Amino acid sequence: MCGICGVVGHRPATPIIFEALRRLEYRGYDSAGIATLSENGVIDRRRAAGKLDNLETVLKQSPLSGSTGIGHTRWATHGAPTETNAHPHAAGQVAIVHNGIIENFAALKAELEAKGRRFVTETDSETVAHLLDNYIEQGMAPREAAFATIGRLEGAYAIAMIFQNHDGLLIGARHGAPLAVGYGEGEMFLGSDSLALAPLANRISYLEDGDWCELTREGATIFNAKGDTVQRQIQTIAFMAGQVGKDGYRHYMEKELHEHPVAIGQTLQRITDPASKRIALPDMPFDIAKVPRITITACGSAFYAGMVGRYWLESLARIPVEIDVASELRYRDPPQPDRGVALLISQSGETADTLGVLRSLKKAGQSIVSVLNVEHSTMGRESDLVLGMVAGPEISVASTKAFTA
């Protein structure tokens, strides 16, 4: 649920990052912070427990300068929701923000403490900062240190890093948690959510699992897990101001409830032949008449939508359907039929358990069809077929229009 934003450019970084964190408030969080590289090359940071209003007060009292920076909204996992445990975490010459869980942090922490490193937080994330700074102290350049660091990490993470005396440099890494690169004019961005980048850049690349990147004001260099330079598709994402604002409504849930007719109409339009006014699904990579069973899986509200789908598929199409919550199916590992089809549902296309099931079902030989509100997401890229709903951004935590779509 945590949110990340990073920027390297010519404008003051703090206002850009703060507004991006505002757009990520819907994820839920209990602390927030920003770190920038000041004009003299020193890393400076401000953090606060509670809501972003608290961080805003701190920033007004003690502003941050610099055009390179990172920001984070934290949902506490390791350690209480305090200012000390809030991101960004700093160690020596580096500062980082991190989403996810570092599963081997205890072993890494013990190793680093044996070298004399002193930890001040209860988090697993601080281990990343100390490990990174340890490699910098050994004489490695930022790129080398970042590669060495992520090679030691186990678990899920999206990380953004800045380095003392390296203005105009931002490094990001992704494994099991989403991270996107935004392309601007003379400035570059990192974000855990395309909504964070929406007003900043409409050209976005999504890092794949194991990817890491080096951003400068001129552009991005992306590497895979082996350290080889790779190319990732740059997509143009269209966002309108009304989609990411309340548009005069009291709150996002009220706005999104009123957006039901548009969401349903746009979604149906995508799969309707305007001439015959009949449903016209895209070409499928399998013969639906020969499918022995469909497995539906999702989490939360998407799972409830899948239950409706099971009713329709069994009663109308007469195809046997099995449905299970993705977090259960991921570890239950039931046998799968030959020529079976898996129907996965996700608003974001980044739901960790559903994505994990996608990969296991694919290995089991199932054709993957995903119903997604974000077609360019990780699930979209890894599916055989995507049925896109056109609900627009859903910021309210309780799903409304995306459930109906």
Side-chain angles (χ1 to χ4, degrees):
M1 296 294 286
C2 307
I4 285 175
C5 181
V7 58
V8 52
H10 297 285
R11 296 181 287 166
T14 300
I16 297 172
I17 295 170
F18 186 84
E19 288 307 312
L21 297 181
R22 280 280 191 212
R23 290 188 292 275
L24 295 174
E25 281 189 288
Y26 74 96
R27 288 169 166 257
Y29 65 101
D30 47 44
S31 61
I34 295 174
T36 61
L37 203 62
S38 63
E39 294 177 0
N40 60 4
V42 174
I43 293 172
D44 202 3
R45 58 183 173 148
R46 303 288 182 269
R47 300 173 295 166
K51 296 301 181 182
L52 277 172
D53 291 343
N54 298 341
L55 178 60
E56 185 176 29
T57 299
V58 172
L59 288 168
K60 286 179 179 177
Q61 295 170 348
S62 184
L64 284 172
S65 62
S67 57
T68 299
I70 50 178
H72 189 268
T73 53
R74 175 182 186 246
W75 188 274
T77 52
H78 293 81
T82 63
E83 179 180 337
T84 300
N85 289 330
H87 297 229
H89 293 296
Q93 304 176 63
V94 305
I96 66 101
V97 291
H98 162 235
N99 289 353
I101 295 177
I102 306 301
E103 294 176 358
N104 63 330
F105 86 97
L108 293 172
K109 182 176 180 180
E111 174 188 321
L112 291 162
E113 285 179 326
K115 294 181 179 181
R117 295 239 161 209
R118 178 175 172 268
F119 287 73
V120 296
T121 79
E122 303 168 287
T123 71
D124 57 330
S125 305
E126 188 187 7
T127 308
V128 180
H130 278 283
L131 185 61
L132 183 63
D133 185 59
N134 176 65
Y135 288 124
I136 293 290
E137 273 196 347
Q138 292 177 19
M140 290 188 184
R143 181 189 293 187
E144 295 175 286
F147 186 46
T149 297
I150 60 179
R152 299 286 310 279
L153 304 180
E154 297 174 9
Y157 54 79
I159 303 170
M161 321 167 201
I162 58 174
F163 302 81
Q164 185 171 299
N165 297 319
H166 285 83
D167 183 39
L169 176 66
L170 179 63
I171 293 181
R174 179 243 162 112
H175 180 75
L179 193 64
V181 177
Y183 296 77
E185 297 296 328
E187 55 188 0
M188 297 291 293
F189 308 94
L190 275 178
S192 54
D193 191 314
S194 56
L195 277 181
L197 305 180
L200 303 172
N202 66 349
R203 297 168 62 240
I204 294 176
S205 286
Y206 292 88
L207 299 184
E208 297 184 5
D209 258 3
D211 283 355
W212 55 290
C213 62
E214 183 180 77
L215 306 188
T216 67
R217 295 182 177 95
E218 288 69 43
T221 305
I222 300 176
F223 308 90
N224 62 18
K226 296 179 181 178
D228 300 324
T229 305
V230 293
Q231 301 296 319
R232 300 297 180 219
Q233 182 184 1
I234 300 176
Q235 305 180 38
T236 300
I237 309 297
F239 284 100
M240 296 182 296
Q243 289 183 304
V244 294
K246 295 177 186 174
D247 203 23
Y249 291 97
R250 291 173 299 165
H251 43 71
Y252 282 110
M253 176 174 275
E254 183 181 39
K255 173 178 180 270
E256 289 160 13
L257 284 168
H258 282 84
E259 289 175 338
H260 265 86
V262 173
I264 295 168
Q266 288 179 337
T267 299
L268 287 174
Q269 189 177 35
R270 289 281 298 275
I271 56 171
T272 304
D273 184 333
S276 65
K277 296 184 179 179
R278 295 178 66 86
I279 297 298
L281 293 173
D283 291 337
M284 298 186 182
F286 49 83
D287 184 349
I288 190 69
K290 296 180 180 179
V291 171
R293 189 182 79 197
I294 294 176
T295 300
I296 297 178
T297 186
C299 293
S301 300
F303 172 75
Y304 297 134
M307 295 180 73
V308 179
R310 175 181 63 176
Y311 178 86
W312 288 338
L313 285 165
E314 289 185 334
S315 62
L316 300 176
R318 307 306 296 169
I319 300 174
V321 176
E322 176 177 325
I323 184 166
D324 205 348
V325 179
S327 56
E328 297 294 328
L329 183 60
R330 182 177 184 181
Y331 300 104
R332 192 161 59 84
D333 192 27
Q336 300 296 334
D338 292 337
R339 303 188 309 277
V341 170
L343 182 64
L344 290 80
I345 309 166
S346 172
Q347 192 283 132
S348 66
E350 302 288 353
T351 309
D353 283 316
T354 312
L355 181 57
V357 171
L358 183 155
R359 291 166 177 164
S360 63
L361 289 172
K362 206 167 189 177
K363 287 181 180 178
Q366 305 301 286
S367 295
I368 306 298
V369 181
S370 289
V371 178
L372 306 173
N373 195 33
V374 185
E375 295 178 58
H376 47 261
S377 60
T378 304
M379 285 181 61
R381 295 193 299 273
E382 297 189 17
S383 297
D384 298 309
L385 175 68
V386 174
L387 299 176
M389 44 180 155
V390 195
E394 185 173 69
I395 296 174
S396 173
V397 173
S399 185
T400 54
K401 58 178 180 171
F403 169 79
T404 309

